[in-house]
Amino acid sequence: MNQEKDGVAAVHSHGGIAVETDHSNAVQLRDAILVANADVVVNLTPQKANTLLSDGQDWKGFDKTLSVTTGALLTAVKDTDIKLLIHTSYSFLYGNARDATESTPQSVPGDDSIFKMAIATENQVTNSQVPNCVLRLGYLYGPESEDLKLYIKSFKLGRPYFAGPESNLGNWLHFEDAAAALVKVAEQEPKGAIFNVVDGVPVSFADFIDRFAFTLGRKRPARIPMWLTPLALVLVVTPQQVDLLKLSTTVNNDSFRQQFGWSPRYISYREGLQQTVDTWVSSAG
């Protein structure tokens, strides 16, 4: 069973209505919202690229995806009676920042057009007449991550990966904790709010991948050296990946914790990676 069928089955099992649409088609989106009689709409499309695990490949051409799908969704919900649009954004858009709060100015990593569009679409939502809430999420991971599984093959083949500076920190969030946060917001409908949603334990990409290897019972994987020329480096990873790994960002999520009484089930990447590996082992057995 492919992932699409798995998703449909999961929706049906919880009493939901599964409707397939073209996310760039405002009419189809509006009709789907009306069929579902939805009170809350969640825009998860931005999260398709919210990972460091794909070497940045998911960001290719994503500025167009963000622009077209966000515009279509905003057009679609105008003709509905939804009570809230939840737009999911990114915690790394604070750039190089320490203990960033929701009021910390955003910064475009590497002055990249894709990240500029990420900020522009977030502003498009917050400046619209649609009741909205924005969640700035950490990098997502968990058992559902196919990109994470690919690292297992790389470990076996002894392939090095580009880790970026070990002193640069990023913010992470397990898929299950992201889902739980979305449920909290959907239930309480905090209109006009922006929240940081991360696990609260920032860590470098190097430490994240090393821990993943150790959790699998493998040795520390090799890394592509930092001194590799930029031209050679972009043959391995995208410029967006390089830009993100140049950042050191730590994010404060006190506002979300306090308002919703929320705390992550997986309080750090260590627990989250252990659960990920355990889930794979259990499903394989």
Side-chain angles (χ1 to χ4, degrees):
M1 180 178 286
N2 60 33
Q3 289 185 339
E4 288 77 12
K5 290 182 179 179
D6 283 345
V8 170
V11 170
H12 288 162
S13 69
H14 288 82
I17 302 171
V19 181
E20 294 185 18
T21 65
D22 177 351
H23 293 181
S24 64
N25 188 310
V27 174
Q28 288 187 22
L29 289 171
R30 181 204 61 199
D31 290 346
I33 293 168
L34 293 175
V35 167
N37 194 26
D39 288 328
V40 177
V41 173
V42 183
N43 183 15
L44 290 175
T45 299
Q47 299 310 302
K48 290 182 177 181
N50 189 20
T51 179
L52 289 177
L53 299 170
S54 67
D55 289 337
Q57 303 302 319
D58 290 343
W59 289 108
K60 289 183 177 179
F62 207 66
D63 48 347
K64 181 179 180 181
T65 298
L66 285 169
S67 176
V68 172
T69 58
T70 303
L73 184 56
L74 285 172
T75 298
V77 297
K78 288 179 182 178
D79 297 325
T80 70
D81 295 322
I82 69 161
K83 297 178 180 178
L84 186 70
L85 169 62
I86 302 174
H87 178 77
T88 57
S89 187
Y90 315 101
S91 65
F92 63 74
L93 289 177
Y94 294 113
N96 285 303
R98 183 175 179 179
D99 204 30
T101 67
E102 290 80 358
S103 61
T104 299
Q106 291 182 307
S107 174
V108 181
D111 200 37
D112 190 276
S113 61
I114 297 175
F115 301 139
K116 287 181 179 178
M117 183 57 69
I119 294 176
T121 51
E122 181 182 314
N123 290 336
Q124 188 179 0
V125 171
T126 58
N127 292 330
S128 72
Q129 298 302 309
V130 177
N132 66 79
C133 176
V134 172
L135 301 187
R136 295 170 178 165
L137 306 182
Y139 295 119
L140 297 173
Y141 73 100
E144 300 82 3
S145 175
E146 294 299 322
D147 290 319
L148 190 56
K149 291 180 180 179
L150 292 177
Y151 274 84
I152 300 176
K153 296 182 179 179
S154 294
F155 296 159
K156 293 178 179 178
L157 294 172
R159 291 176 181 169
Y161 73 100
F162 181 62
E166 193 165 357
S167 59
N168 286 3
L169 303 179
N171 305 275
W172 297 79
L173 185 67
H174 191 284
F175 282 126
E176 289 185 16
D177 288 322
L182 286 165
V183 170
K184 290 280 190 182
V185 174
E187 290 175 341
Q188 296 192 27
E189 302 177 6
K191 298 176 180 64
I194 298 175
F195 295 105
N196 295 328
V197 186
V198 298
D199 66 17
V201 182
V203 62
S204 71
F205 187 50
D207 285 342
F208 183 93
I209 294 298
D210 285 354
R211 171 59 60 175
F212 180 48
F214 298 154
T215 304
L216 291 166
R218 307 192 69 87
K219 64 180 182 180
R220 176 180 174 177
R223 302 174 186 172
I224 297 173
M226 291 291 298
W227 49 259
L228 197 67
T229 64
L231 179 60
L233 189 59
V234 296
L235 296 176
V236 182
V237 301
T238 68
Q240 291 78 27
Q241 184 82 347
V242 176
D243 289 338
L244 291 179
L245 290 176
K246 285 181 179 178
L247 301 178
S248 187
T249 312
T250 62
V251 170
N252 184 306
N253 66 354
D254 287 350
S255 179
F256 191 78
R257 286 174 177 265
Q258 292 168 5
Q259 177 154 340
F260 295 94
W262 175 90
S263 60
R265 178 177 181 181
Y266 305 102
I267 59 175
S268 81
Y269 66 105
R270 300 179 186 89
E271 291 80 8
L273 287 173
Q274 186 64 61
Q275 182 269 350
T276 296
V277 173
D278 289 345
T279 299
W280 291 339
V281 171
S282 176
S283 63

